[in-house]
């Protein structure tokens, strides 16, 4: 069994919870006792069953922390041991059970001291050096002041109208930490109370203070995320504070703009929080500064900055964001330096530029992307006030693809395009003469046809004409070959013709598939299996239909020609095949019954002679006929 810890928003709700618990456990014969409450009305209202009344005992444990229900406050009782060994130091630190971090500055001092012992490489049972022993003795003597603390459990003002969460982060050379406060407002009344804190000692490997501040900011983001999931209250705003302008500047950057150590932590912070929630606070108003540096136990009781937060939280305050100093060396050192990119274009001959561009890569998709970025560069140079950035859009890729195709068509089909622009017919001997080509609104040469009124897309109605031996055509074929999972020649040609109409495309499709190394390596080898020996009935000479097989085909609809107003009837045809001579005999059958087949078999024997063996597929009518003939044979 264990204690039940619960509560309610009103006395009536708590009283109803008590009655329900009593009745629920009474069904199993269990009686409840040790009732504790912070409501004086419930303490004085003794129920009819005396054993269920609220006790007047002062202190009890709630999740490991002492709770005084008379004052509704949390308290601590620490009884340190007298020994001065590293084992005793670790044991005494573990006795300060503080899951919420209310004694965070004191625990930070203890953590820093224990880390120093590890650096000195002292064994567990060895006595502490004289200097460390004196320091630890002073710390233990001051721990008794923790027992005088009385921390209010209730952190909200009466009838709160607005709730805010304020988190502070700070770091020093020896530790870093984060602390969270809850601010409740009701009209002009504001109440700010400490919720929790978390601290960690600095890494053994020395890092710069801004990086430690960044670790503290990440710890704050994780702590606030857990607090918001735990308190289950409607929080209107979340404010996160740091006294490091460098960290705040890093948070405003994208992770890919920063180096690895900073980028990983900035990515985690931006995933847990929003950039707009981070603000700057001075070191004097940062309660996390107390947490990162540590504080003696006797000074913690009277530290108002730790228990109620900075003074500006007590009133409505304008939030201003400090901009980082862009000349700070630490800030600039974590930014990735962009190397200068030089682009050289030979614009003397457009044909030379197209040939050079097509020789850059063997990938059609990469070629289109390169051309798209060239067009984007030209656009941004001409329009500096409306710059394009980010991933390439579909329209940009389409414009680049059409430009390359148009330039290739102008070079390969110059006579045909010139004739079409003048309104003349295609020259004789041209490969495009039978395609009825035309030039669309974008200046691209397309195939004509009679599919204008179909529901197909424009590219399917009028594909773009491609030259037969140009490099761009080959790149397009290779692209569609890999896109369609190394499809065969016929499928490749079909896929390409959904958008393009290559001249002599069938030959090119075969060549692309034959030249594909992957297809060559994975080309299956057809196994020529040796067939088994023929049965004796197939190769033993005998007269026709001595050994034969039978099967039905149909149904066939048959209607007498000489008679009128007679509907067509279903009829079947029995096929007899001789196993030796391959001769075929047909018999008309009225239905699929055994009687009809026996009649059919009688006519067959009367015409071709009796067979010694007749093979079938064991259909029901064949099996029935065999049974009937066997019964007749047995009877005779």
């Amino acid at each position: 069994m264990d204690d039940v810890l619960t509560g309610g928003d009103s006395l009536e709700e708590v009283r109803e919870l008590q009655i329900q618990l009593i009745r629920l456990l009474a069904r199993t014969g269990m009686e409840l006792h040790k009732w504790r409450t912070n409501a004086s009305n419930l303490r004085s209202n003794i129920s009819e069953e005396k054993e269920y009344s609220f006790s007047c005992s002062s202190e009890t444990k709630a999740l490991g922390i002492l709770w005084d229900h008379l004052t509704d406050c949390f308290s601590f009782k620490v009884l340190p041991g007298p020994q001065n060994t590293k084992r005793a130091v670790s044991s005494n630190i573990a006795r300060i059970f503080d899951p919420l971090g209310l004694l965070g500055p004191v625990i930070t001092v203890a953590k820093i001291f224990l880390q120093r012992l590890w650096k000195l490489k002292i064994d567990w049972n060895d006595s502490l050096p004289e200097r460390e022993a004196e320091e630890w003795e002073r710390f233990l003597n001051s721990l008794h002041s923790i027992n005088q603390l009385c921390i209010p459990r209730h952190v909200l003002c009466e009838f709160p109208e607005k709730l805010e969460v304020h988190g502070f982060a700070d770091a020093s050379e020896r530790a870093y930490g984060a602390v969270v406060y809850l601010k409740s407002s009701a009209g002009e009344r504001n109440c700010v109370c400490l919720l929790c804190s978390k601290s960690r000692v600095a890494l053994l490997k020395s890092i710069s203070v801004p990086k430690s501040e960044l670790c503290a900011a990440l710890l704050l983001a994780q702590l606030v995320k857990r607090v918001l999931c735990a308190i289950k209250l409607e929080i209107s705003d979340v404010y996160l504070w740091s006294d490091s302008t460098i960290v705040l500047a890093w948070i405003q950057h994208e992770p890919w703009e920063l180096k690895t150590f900073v980028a990983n932590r900035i990515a985690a912070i931006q995933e847990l929080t929003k950039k707009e929630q981070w603000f700057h606070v001075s070191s004097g108003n940062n309660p996390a500064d107390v947490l990162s540096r540590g504080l003696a136990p006797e000074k913690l009781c009277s530290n108002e900055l730790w228990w109620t937060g900075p003074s500006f939280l007590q009133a409505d305050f304008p939030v201003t964001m400090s901009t980082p100093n862009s000349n700070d060396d630490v800030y600039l050192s974590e930014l990735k330096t962009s190397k200068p990119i030089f682009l050289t274009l030979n614009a003397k001959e457009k044909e030379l530029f197209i040939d050079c561009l097509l020789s850059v890569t063997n990938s059609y998709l990469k070629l289109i992307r390169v051309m798209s970025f060239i067009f984007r560069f030209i656009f941004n140079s001409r329009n500096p006030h409306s710059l394009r950035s980010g991933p390439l859009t579909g329209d940009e890729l389409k414009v680049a693809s059409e430009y390359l195709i148009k330039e290739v068509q102008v070079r390969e089909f110059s006579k045909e395009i010139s004739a079409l622009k003048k309104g003349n017919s295609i020259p004789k001997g041209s490969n495009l003469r039978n395609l009825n080509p035309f030039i669309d609104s974008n200046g691209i040469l397309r195939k004509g046809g009679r599919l204008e009124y179909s529901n197909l897309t424009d590219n399917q109605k009028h594909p773009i004409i491609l030259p037969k031996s140009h490099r761009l055509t080959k790149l397009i074929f290779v692209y569609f070959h890999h896109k369609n999972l190394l499809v065969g020649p016929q499928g490749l040609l079909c896929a390409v013709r959904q958008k393009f109409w290559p001249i002599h495309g069938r030959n090119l499709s075969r060549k692309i598939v034959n030249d594909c190394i992957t297809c060559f390596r994975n080309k299956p080898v057809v196994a020529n299996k040796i067939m088994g020996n023929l049965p004796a009935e197939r190769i033993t000479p005998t007269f026709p239909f001595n050994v034969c097989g039978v099967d039905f085909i149909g149904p066939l609809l048959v209607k007498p020609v000489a008679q009128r107003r007679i509907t067509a009837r279903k009829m079947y045809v029995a096929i007899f095949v001789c196993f030796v001579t391959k001769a075929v005999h047909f018999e008309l059958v009225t239905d699929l019954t055994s009687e009809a087949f026996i009649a059919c078999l009688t006519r067959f024997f009367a015409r071709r002679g009796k067979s010694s063996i007749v093979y079938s597929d064991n259909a029901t009518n064949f099996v029935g006929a065999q049974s009937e003939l066997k019964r007749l044979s047995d009877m005779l």
Side-chain angles (χ1 to χ4, degrees):
M1 293 296 295
D2 202 351
D3 296 337
V4 176
L5 183 63
T6 184
D9 295 333
S10 62
L11 295 177
E12 293 77 9
E13 183 178 350
V14 175
R15 186 60 180 173
E16 181 64 25
L17 283 174
Q18 180 198 19
I19 296 174
Q20 291 179 4
L21 285 172
I22 293 173
R23 292 176 179 176
L24 180 63
L25 296 181
R27 296 177 183 176
T28 60
M30 289 185 277
E31 298 180 356
L32 296 178
H33 58 96
K34 294 197 311 183
W35 289 95
R36 302 290 185 271
T37 180
N38 60 344
S40 58
N41 294 341
L42 288 179
R43 287 196 298 268
S44 60
N45 185 16
I46 301 176
S47 61
E48 296 179 359
E49 293 97 355
K50 300 298 182 181
E51 61 272 19
Y52 296 144
S53 62
F54 287 94
S55 173
C56 295
S57 179
S58 175
E59 290 183 350
T60 186
K61 281 190 176 182
L63 298 180
I65 302 177
L66 292 177
W67 174 52
D68 189 342
H69 65 273
L70 298 178
T71 59
D72 196 15
C73 292
F74 292 125
S75 59
F76 296 89
K77 280 190 177 181
V78 181
L79 301 175
Q83 297 180 356
N84 286 338
T85 62
K86 190 170 75 169
R87 189 184 303 276
V89 170
S90 179
S91 176
N92 288 327
I93 294 175
R95 292 180 184 182
I96 310 175
F97 182 71
D98 182 23
L100 295 178
L102 302 177
L103 306 178
V106 176
I107 297 177
T108 300
V109 175
K111 288 181 179 179
I112 294 173
F113 183 81
L114 183 61
Q115 187 186 48
R116 196 199 314 171
L117 296 183
W118 280 104
K119 291 182 179 180
L120 295 175
K121 298 181 180 180
I122 300 176
D123 198 6
W124 282 105
N125 297 320
D126 292 346
S127 299
L128 303 182
E130 182 178 358
R131 179 182 175 185
E132 280 72 20
E134 294 178 357
E135 182 179 349
W136 181 246
E137 188 67 26
R138 289 194 302 270
F139 180 78
L140 291 182
N141 294 333
S142 62
L143 273 181
H144 296 285
S145 59
I146 294 179
N147 300 333
Q148 308 300 324
L149 282 174
C150 186
I151 305 170
R153 181 196 61 84
H154 195 65
V155 295
L156 299 177
C157 65
E158 190 175 0
F159 305 111
E161 299 174 357
K162 183 180 180 181
L163 299 178
E164 297 176 358
V165 170
H166 292 263
F168 296 84
D170 193 28
S172 64
E173 294 181 355
R174 299 187 297 175
Y176 62 91
V179 57
V180 179
Y181 296 87
L182 181 64
K183 177 181 178 182
S184 56
S185 304
E188 298 180 355
R189 293 180 293 113
N190 295 320
C191 178
V192 181
C193 293
L194 173 66
L195 274 184
C196 59
S197 70
K198 182 70 175 178
S199 64
R200 291 178 181 172
V201 292
L203 301 176
L204 293 178
K205 181 180 179 181
S206 178
I207 60 175
S208 61
V209 175
K211 288 186 177 180
S212 298
E213 295 274 4
L214 180 61
C215 295
L218 176 59
L219 182 63
L220 175 60
Q222 296 170 344
L223 183 62
V224 169
K225 185 68 175 181
R226 297 191 62 180
V227 167
L228 294 178
C229 296
I231 58 178
K232 298 179 181 179
L233 295 174
E234 186 177 352
I235 305 299
S236 58
D237 295 302
V238 176
Y239 297 91
L240 307 176
W241 305 85
S242 175
D243 56 7
S244 174
T245 56
I246 296 177
V247 172
L248 296 177
W250 284 340
I251 293 176
Q252 301 304 315
H253 279 278
E254 295 297 330
W256 57 267
E257 298 177 342
L258 304 166
K259 294 183 180 179
T260 305
F261 182 91
V262 178
N264 293 339
R265 287 153 181 79
I266 290 297
I269 292 173
Q270 292 180 355
E271 183 179 356
L272 297 172
T273 61
K274 301 178 181 178
K275 297 180 182 180
E276 298 79 12
Q277 295 175 340
W278 289 90
F279 306 97
H280 180 261
V281 63
S282 61
S283 298
N285 290 327
N286 191 355
D289 184 72
V290 180
L291 180 63
S292 63
R293 300 180 184 276
L295 196 64
E298 65 272 10
K299 297 181 181 180
L300 181 65
C301 302
S302 58
N303 194 301
E304 293 295 330
L305 180 63
W306 173 252
W307 297 111
T308 60
S311 57
F312 64 81
L313 294 183
Q314 301 296 334
D316 296 333
F317 54 90
V319 177
T320 57
M321 184 66 184
S322 298
T323 56
N325 184 9
S326 59
N327 296 324
D328 193 292
D329 294 336
V330 179
Y331 165 70
L332 295 176
S333 63
E334 294 299 329
L335 295 178
K336 289 183 178 179
T337 57
S338 58
K339 298 180 180 180
I341 301 175
F342 300 96
L343 179 64
T344 304
L345 295 178
N346 189 344
K348 293 182 178 180
E349 298 181 7
K350 184 185 293 185
E351 291 80 5
L352 182 60
F353 167 71
I354 296 297
D355 292 338
C356 293
L357 187 62
L358 291 175
S359 62
V360 168
T361 177
N362 292 328
S363 172
Y364 172 71
L365 187 59
K366 185 176 181 179
L367 182 66
I368 298 303
R369 292 178 61 82
V370 170
M371 197 68 213
S372 301
F373 278 113
I374 292 176
F375 279 128
R376 175 179 286 187
F377 172 76
I378 295 174
F379 178 85
N380 291 341
S381 301
R382 294 175 178 175
N383 304 276
H385 301 292
S386 58
L387 300 178
R388 294 177 180 174
S389 60
L392 292 172
T393 62
D395 293 337
E396 289 179 312
L397 296 174
K398 181 180 178 182
V399 170
S401 175
E402 291 180 349
Y403 174 80
L404 286 177
I405 293 172
K406 184 166 57 176
E407 293 299 326
V408 171
Q409 286 181 343
V410 169
R411 294 177 58 181
E412 298 295 328
F413 304 122
S414 57
K415 296 180 180 179
E416 290 83 352
I417 293 176
S418 177
L420 290 175
K421 288 182 178 180
K422 295 178 181 180
N424 301 330
S425 60
I426 301 297
K428 293 182 180 181
S430 173
N431 293 328
L432 308 184
R433 188 173 180 87
N434 296 329
L435 300 180
N436 190 23
F438 69 95
I439 301 176
D440 65 2
S441 57
N442 295 326
I444 298 177
L445 190 63
R446 292 181 178 269
K447 174 183 176 296
R450 304 167 61 189
L451 303 177
E452 184 64 32
Y453 300 110
S454 66
N455 294 328
L456 302 175
T457 62
D458 292 339
N459 287 329
Q460 293 173 336
K461 293 177 186 178
H462 306 290
I464 299 173
I465 300 176
L466 296 177
K468 64 178 181 179
S469 58
H470 199 274
R471 178 174 171 78
L472 180 62
T473 308
K474 295 179 181 179
L475 294 180
I476 292 175
F477 267 83
V478 173
Y479 167 71
F480 278 96
H481 182 53
H482 288 277
K483 181 181 178 182
N484 291 275
L485 305 179
L486 305 177
V487 68
Q490 191 67 23
L492 175 59
L493 182 62
C494 179
V496 173
R497 282 184 176 176
Q498 296 295 317
K499 185 176 181 181
F500 304 99
W501 190 272
I503 306 299
H504 296 171
R506 194 176 305 277
N507 295 334
L508 183 58
S509 177
R510 293 171 181 168
K511 178 176 175 55
I512 293 298
V513 174
N514 291 334
D515 294 345
C516 179
I517 302 299
T518 307
C519 294
F520 175 77
R521 290 177 177 175
N522 295 278
K523 185 176 181 181
V525 178
V526 180
N528 297 321
K529 296 182 180 180
I530 301 177
M531 300 183 67
N533 294 322
L534 295 174
E537 292 81 0
R538 293 276 303 274
I539 58 179
T540 302
T542 182
F543 61 87
F545 295 103
N546 183 41
V547 180
C548 65
V550 63
D551 200 0
F552 278 20
I553 62 172
L556 306 175
L557 296 178
V558 179
K559 183 177 181 181
V561 179
Q563 301 178 7
R564 297 182 179 181
R565 297 182 181 179
I566 295 179
T567 58
R569 294 179 54 189
K570 287 184 179 180
M571 303 292 285
Y572 299 87
V573 176
I575 302 179
F576 295 88
V577 179
C578 177
F579 274 24
V580 178
T581 64
K582 302 301 182 184
V584 180
H585 177 86
F586 295 93
E587 282 289 341
L588 193 63
V589 187
T590 56
D591 51 40
L592 295 177
T593 61
S594 299
E595 292 78 6
F597 174 67
I598 292 175
C600 169
L601 191 62
T602 303
R603 295 193 300 271
F604 170 68
F605 286 165
R607 181 68 181 270
R608 302 296 181 184
K610 294 181 181 180
S611 302
S612 61
I613 301 176
V614 178
Y615 290 92
S616 71
D617 59 357
N618 284 339
T620 54
N621 53 345
F622 300 143
V623 175
Q626 180 189 12
S627 301
E628 185 67 21
L629 294 176
K630 185 177 180 181
R631 185 184 64 82
L632 181 60
S633 175
D634 294 341
M635 185 176 62
L636 295 177

